[in-house]
Amino acid sequence: WTEYYVTEVRAILTSVVSYLEANREARFVWSELIFLNEWMNDESVPETLKHSFRKLVLDDRRLEIVNGGYVMHDEAVTHYASWIGQTILGHDLLRELLLLSSTSEVSKVTTGYQIDPFGSSSFTPTFLQYAGYEFLLHNRIPQSIKDVMKNNRGLQFWWQNHPDKNHDI
């Protein structure tokens, strides 16, 4: 992953922050805290850009941190304890990178983001509800089901939570 950071991610984050500074109407989402951590600790990235990143997230709200985990977990092969652990790690790291003092400020992560998990878990809506998430962007849905949802204009839907919970996502 280090090579990928050096050859791709550093330039992506740097150019996104520069673009957002120059284009007030633009917005962007970022997911992987492992790469954000590398960028924020990269001595070749100017401190002014790191400051701008924080401002774009906290003040302008035009750069949104989604998922909030250290990495995007793969629901098909991980135990739920791993998912919880890496999410806690990611939220703690995010608080540190954004120079926040309280854990309540990290709750600004309200969108789950799973564009490439291999499978879905019935634990997903339960976990997201307990963690304070309001939305989930989920991409890996079988094409036949996605086609029906598109035809019925149903790509936005409520994912039923566990029956003994009172909130859905």
Side-chain angles (χ1 to χ4, degrees), residues 106-161:
V106 174
S107 67
K108 292 179 182 179
V109 178
T110 60
T111 302
Y113 190 74
Q114 298 173 308
I115 60 168
D116 199 27
F118 293 100
S120 299
S121 165
S122 61
F123 178 66
T124 299
T126 302
F127 171 76
L128 294 175
Q129 182 244 328
Y130 278 124
Y133 289 72
E134 298 174 20
F135 310 100
L136 170 65
L137 181 106
H138 188 75
N139 188 50
R140 192 167 292 245
I141 298 171
Q143 192 61 48
S144 60
I145 294 172
K146 194 182 282 187
D147 289 342
V148 169
M149 293 171 79
K150 278 184 197 177
N151 291 337
N152 295 331
R153 302 183 75 144
L155 285 172
Q156 292 184 8
F157 60 92
W158 291 107
W159 192 341
Q160 267 326 121
N161 205 343

Side-chain angles (χ1 to χ4, degrees), residues 2 30 44-45 58 82 86 91 97-98 105 109 165:
T2 302
W30 189 261
S44 72
V45 176
L58 296 171
S82 298
Q86 71 90 22
H91 281 212
L97 296 174
L98 296 177
E105 292 175 283
V109 178
K165 304 297 175 234

